[in-house]
Amino acid sequence: MTEDPQDEVDRLVRAWREERPDLDVEPLQVLSRVSRLARHLDRARRAAFAEHDLEPWEFDVLTALRRAGKPYELSPGSLLRATLVTSGTMTNRIDRLAQAGLVVRRPDPEDRRGVLVTLTEAGQARVDAAFSDLLRWERELLSSLGAVDQRTLAALLRTLLTPFDS
């Protein structure tokens, strides 16, 4: 029987068990791994987006518009809810994306005071390419897990995440 490979969290847990045997450090087994994985994923995503001359925040806004379906437009309010940023931050982001030619603002035909943010063809091409590359990389990352394990992991993570998204 082969032993499970050791990772940095195993070393961390072992050290804490020696230093603080009075504490139950078992939650570290899961949550420290999730935290470390999140940092690795963030670095990899930043690199994947950089290959398409995108920052993570640009990808977030552009994918929110792309997911909206044709005509790929949303109000600034809908965009800030989708990306969890403040209105001032969203205004700045829309300005920068518009300057880059990735989105355009247009008057909302149903609200004379409102505007809609629309994904341009250039924005769609860039986000589609970045998203395809990201999915290819993420599939590779998950390749050591079979389909059943991937679904199980997704369900377990959903259980942990749902209270935060409520």
Side-chain angles (χ1 to χ4, degrees):
M1 185 166 97
T2 61
E3 209 175 293
D4 285 338
Q6 300 287 296
D7 66 5
E8 187 60 30
V9 174
D10 291 315
R11 291 181 278 283
L12 177 142
V13 167
R14 196 168 35 254
W16 277 119
R17 283 186 176 143
E18 288 212 10
E19 292 299 316
R20 293 294 311 269
D22 57 311
L23 294 178
D24 175 12
V25 295
E26 200 59 27
L28 297 175
Q29 295 281 4
V30 173
L31 300 177
S32 288
R33 284 187 174 93
V34 169
S35 178
R36 290 178 63 78
L37 183 58
R39 281 182 283 204
H40 288 295
L41 289 172
D42 183 58
R43 281 191 213 132
R45 284 180 158 206
R46 285 177 182 278
F49 301 153
E51 288 181 25
H52 297 278
D53 198 26
L54 289 173
E55 293 291 329
W57 65 265
E58 292 172 309
F59 183 82
D60 287 347
V61 174
L62 297 175
T63 56
L65 290 166
R66 184 66 169 97
R67 287 190 313 268
K70 285 188 178 184
Y72 309 118
E73 65 185 11
L74 293 169
S75 69
S78 294
L79 280 170
L80 69 92
R81 284 187 295 279
T83 59
L84 302 174
V85 298
T86 65
S87 60
T89 298
M90 184 51 65
T91 298
N92 180 273
R93 289 179 176 186
I94 293 167
D95 288 345
R96 291 172 66 185
L97 289 168
Q99 287 171 352
L102 302 175
V103 303
V104 293
R105 284 187 177 93
R106 69 176 193 86
D108 185 339
E110 296 180 20
D111 178 359
R112 290 181 31 204
R113 295 172 295 154
V115 297
L116 294 172
V117 179
T118 306
L119 190 61
T120 63
E121 285 184 28
Q124 182 179 342
R126 187 150 342 149
V127 76
D128 282 355
F131 188 55
S132 293
D133 286 352
L134 176 66
L135 288 176
R136 188 172 20 265
W137 180 85
E138 288 183 350
R139 265 192 298 284
E140 186 179 312
L141 173 72
L142 292 170
S143 66
S144 64
L145 297 176
V148 172
D149 286 342
Q150 287 183 39
R151 285 191 298 274
T152 300
L153 179 58
L156 292 169
L157 291 171
R158 183 181 305 110
T159 299
L160 287 176
L161 189 57
T162 299
F164 293 99
D165 286 345
S166 298

